[in-house]
Amino acid sequence: MKAGDELPPLEIAVTRTLIVAGALASRDYQDVHHDPELARSKGSPDIFMNILTTNGLVGRYLTDHFGPAAVLRKVAIRLGAPNYPGDTMVLRGRVEEVVGDTAVVRVTGDNGIGRHVSGTVTLTVPTAAADGNGAVPPGGAG
Amino acid sequence: MDDELHARLKAYEGRPAAVAGVGRDPVNAPMIRHWCEAMGDRNPAYTGPDAIAPPTMLQAWIMGGLGGHGRRAHAYNDLLSLLDEVGCTSIVATDCEQEYARALRPGDEVAFDTVIESVSPRKTTKLGTGYFVTTRTDVRVGETVVGTHRFRVLKYAPSGRGPEPRRAGGSEEKRDGKAAEARDGKASRARPRPVVNRDNAGFWEGVRRGRLLVQRCTACDTLRFPWLPGCNACGSEQWDTVRATGDGTVFSYVVMHHPSFPAFDPPYAVVLVELAEGVRMVSNVVDVPYDKVRIGMPVELEFRTYGGGGEAGEGGEELVLPVFRPRAAEAAP
């Protein structure tokens, strides 16, 4: 694990089911996340993914890659182009900085209409899990 | 921009949005499992006897759900009501920043306090005009702060030109710079209507009759375009018109990639055409790809009709505009 490392992209099929399941699992009953008719009446072309689901998917993307021992410390995201049903979002990540066993990863998620999410995740990755290379010196390895 | 309302909104900064709120349910395995199923998250850390909750679930534990926010403080409701009253009736989340001090585990009883951190000045976004409201929530278990949750919403008045449904078939072409317009449904929008006033009515009357009219000062014979009340050369207010032949050359141009506007489909060239009579006008060059437009390209006038549409997608009148196409002789490759 070192600065500059790219995470393999993760494709998320933005299905209607995912949008609704994510909204309900996060206890978000805003109609724009499950009712197309009401979403349209509010000026949206369709229902769209709620921010909690995006947050959950970003968290999953990181722990999928770094493994169950990785501990999320901070997740900060900003939303742009909405995730509408039928689209595909591709999550990408790049390690920006490594200090000790703590990494800062820049994450983006692009869909068919633009950048749905951009953000930064700070997580602790026990050194044993950091590529099995032993301790990573502060400031990252060369 | 003078925004007296913003001063009233700013008064809410620092006031509580929720005091001693309590999560509807203790952290529990079924909700964790539903979350993981929805997210497709198979992290083993979230199952089994030593399971922790996915950290990104932090906000889920404090959501009001269908039952609503029983402990929401007056200040927050007042702030939202005030925004409703001024037409900012829609809301969309834009930012979420969470820090996790320690993992939550089944059985943890979550409490929280939320403060209104800031209210932005009025902002105009693609969705509409409104205000960003940022709150900060400390999530506690007992006296221990287990996480903080900063959340930003845009409370806005939807712009009249709301997005249109996506075209049937769904999958939009992925092209850089197309995002905003695709979101707006675009391409089918009517062109902006010209503002016709006393000073330029003669020009638009000419267009209606298929004539491109240029003003001429009757005192000094100077031609001028666009239409103005007086002569730039001598100041005279007396004028008549000359009908342009329609021949011209591209004097300059820019290619618009961004920002996108509802009636236009970027990239497209905006050209400054120098008419044979010597005046210049801003227009479009049609029937030629944007990247084939060149300075010096000979062009000729065409009146093109742009179809109805209108703000609501129907009922708009057709609009005739003078545009230019490559001059016939030069059009061949």
Side-chain angles (χ1 to χ4, degrees), chain A residues 43 60 73 75 77-79 113, chain B residues 39 94-96 98 163 179:
Chain A
R60 171 195 151 191
R73 299 295 182 193
V75 176
I77 59 169
R78 167 163 295 183
L79 296 193
I113 54 173
Chain B
M39 302 301 157
T94 61
D95 294 76
C96 173
Q98 299 182 331

Side-chain angles (χ1 to χ4, degrees), chain A residues 85-103:
Chain A
D87 210 337
T88 299
M89 172 172 71
V90 182
L91 289 166
R92 292 187 178 82
R94 183 177 187 276
V95 178
E96 293 288 300
E97 187 188 352
V98 178
V99 178
D101 58 0
T102 300

Side-chain angles (χ1 to χ4, degrees), chain A residues 8-97:
Chain A
L10 174 64
E11 277 195 19
I12 303 282
V14 183
T15 61
R16 207 166 279 278
T17 302
L18 171 60
I19 293 169
V20 173
L24 297 192
S26 56
R27 294 179 48 70
D28 184 346
Y29 294 89
Q30 294 278 343
D31 49 35
V32 290
H33 305 311
H34 65 260
D35 188 327
E37 208 170 309
L38 287 174
R40 277 193 282 275
S41 76
K42 293 181 176 178
S44 176
D46 204 334
I47 63 166
F48 54 91
M49 184 179 285
N50 71 340
I51 195 167
L52 289 89
T53 301
T54 302
N55 207 39
L57 292 171
V58 167
R60 171 195 151 191
Y61 178 49
L62 272 289
T63 51
D64 273 4
H65 178 72
F66 288 101
V71 178
L72 297 177
R73 299 295 182 193
K74 185 175 178 184
V75 176
I77 59 169
R78 167 163 295 183
L79 296 193
N83 266 346
Y84 295 119
D87 210 337
T88 299
M89 172 172 71
V90 182
L91 289 166
R92 292 187 178 82
R94 183 177 187 276
V95 178
E96 293 288 300
E97 187 188 352

Side-chain angles (χ1 to χ4, degrees), chain B residues 46 69 157 207 227 235 294:
Chain B
Y46 306 146
H69 291 273
V207 169
W227 283 41
R294 291 290 179 272

Side-chain angles (χ1 to χ4, degrees), chain B residues 292-305:
Chain B
K292 300 296 182 208
V293 174
R294 291 290 179 272
I295 288 173
M297 173 185 271
V299 291
E300 61 188 1
L301 177 67
E302 174 183 328
F303 287 95
R304 191 159 277 200
T305 303

